[in-house]
Amino acid sequence: DAQRLAGDVAIVTGASSGIGEATAEALADAGASVVLAARRADELEALADRIESAGGDALVVPTDVTDEDDIDSLVDATTDEYGRIDILVNNAGVMLLEPLERADRSNLRQMVEVNLLGLMNLTHAVLPVMQEQESGHIVNVSSVAGRRASADSSGYNATKFGVNAFTEAVRQEVTTQGIRTTVIEPGAVDTELATHVPDEQVLERFAEMDLPMLHPDDIARGIVYATSQPARVDVNELLIRPTGQD
Ligand code: NDP
């Protein structure tokens, strides 16, 4: 059943690279129309071209999830084009790891605004559409860092623990309305994420560790699994580590 999401409409944030890009492609392969949201419009256009060349359907909506007007425009553009929203993948994120004593407050703010507040606001904006449909699926990309805190990761941990708490609370509000919620918790995945780490010492330590890594596609398959279950099945949490990560 290669087209198990046929007719579904999915918004994917952070679709310009990494896990979001792989997820958009996988959802499109499964038959969903995908709405590609992130700041880098050129990357989104290139992805839309690839999806459409492969016979899929994509809409590009350049979006900064820290901008509430952009959030509302993303939802409006999606409903104007397709009239519904079946799947929301809140994947946009930044990981600006620093020990707190050296942390730049603007980095702490950016992590909260992208990883947590952006996800909360977009979920809030999409919810009325899903409630009207009496169906929908909210997929929030958290992390192993949403379950286990560690040194040099305090701000990032706070946002990902927040994502898990937010999602569980929303789950209790909407599960009786036919709306499903999934938290995805990846371990290390080979993407651009760590390239934005501002702290030289953290970067050097990463470079020396030579960690096993998942491919973005390994997470995308989990998201397709969760979203393509029968309506009675609500996969609430998926923790996916690379084999060998402690
Ligand atoms: P990437 O850096 O490759 O992707 C991050 C995506 O987020 C990009 O598409 C980026 O797009 C987007 N983004 C960043 N800021 C904003 C913003 N203000 N508005 C809209 N989009 C934004 O990293 P990953 O694919 O690894 O990260 C995806 C998610 O997976 C994140 O939430 C991350 O925390 C999580 N994760 C990743 C792990 C890993 O090891 N890689 C492990 C566990 C969780 P653009 O710059 O174009 O806006």
Side-chain angles (χ1 to χ4, degrees):
D1 55 348
Q3 292 293 297
R4 53 202 194 276
L5 295 176
D8 280 0
V9 176
I11 295 175
V12 181
T13 69
S16 58
S17 62
I19 293 168
E21 178 179 3
T23 298
E25 281 195 293
L27 292 171
D29 276 351
S33 294
V34 288
V35 181
L36 310 176
R39 292 167 304 177
R40 288 172 292 173
D42 291 353
E43 307 290 334
L44 299 180
E45 293 290 354
L47 174 60
D49 286 349
R50 282 209 306 285
I51 287 171
E52 288 182 342
S53 305
D57 179 40
L59 174 70
V60 169
V61 185
T63 304
D64 183 337
V65 298
T66 69
D67 182 323
E68 289 191 40
D69 292 335
D70 278 15
I71 295 264
D72 292 332
S73 302
L74 171 59
V75 173
D76 290 346
T78 305
T79 53
D80 285 352
E81 179 77 14
Y82 299 109
R84 55 187 300 111
I85 304 171
D86 300 284
I87 299 166
L88 166 63
V89 183
N90 276 309
N91 162 80
V94 288
M95 182 180 74
L96 307 174
L97 304 182
E98 304 167 284
L100 189 63
E101 66 182 17
R102 286 202 297 275
D104 186 328
R105 284 190 189 168
S106 67
N107 290 337
L108 296 174
R109 172 182 292 278
Q110 188 71 7
M111 285 193 284
V112 171
E113 290 193 345
V114 178
N115 302 4
L116 186 54
L117 195 57
L119 170 150
M120 291 166 62
N121 285 337
L122 185 54
T123 304
H124 179 260
V126 162
L127 200 53
V129 179
M130 292 184 171
Q131 285 175 319
E132 177 75 25
Q133 296 166 180
E134 298 181 19
S135 73
H137 198 143
I138 298 157
V139 178
N140 290 337
V141 179
S142 175
S143 171
V144 164
R147 296 171 59 112
R148 194 164 82 182
S150 47
D152 303 342
S153 184
S154 56
Y156 187 68
N157 282 135
T159 65
K160 295 300 189 179
F161 272 68
V163 167
N164 286 22
F166 176 78
T167 311
E168 170 57 17
V170 172
R171 183 192 71 76
Q172 293 176 27
E173 294 179 18
V174 303
T175 186
T176 54
Q177 303 169 6
I179 300 169
R180 298 185 276 180
T181 53
T182 302
V183 163
I184 307 282
E185 296 156 330
V189 185
D190 189 11
T191 70
E192 296 175 14
L193 193 73
T195 65
H196 305 294
V197 168
D199 193 85
E200 290 301 327
Q201 291 175 34
V202 174
L203 275 175
E204 275 169 30
R205 219 175 49 237
F206 273 3
E208 285 161 11
M209 279 197 297
D210 195 27
L211 282 174
M213 291 233 186
L214 295 169
H215 302 166
D217 193 45
D218 299 328
I219 304 304
R221 286 199 306 281
I223 293 175
V224 171
Y225 164 77
T227 52
S228 60
Q229 295 304 305
R232 68 177 180 279
V233 182
D234 193 5
V235 178
N236 294 134
E237 191 172 17
L238 283 177
L239 170 59
I240 309 173
R241 291 189 184 90
T243 308
Q245 179 176 337
D246 67 8

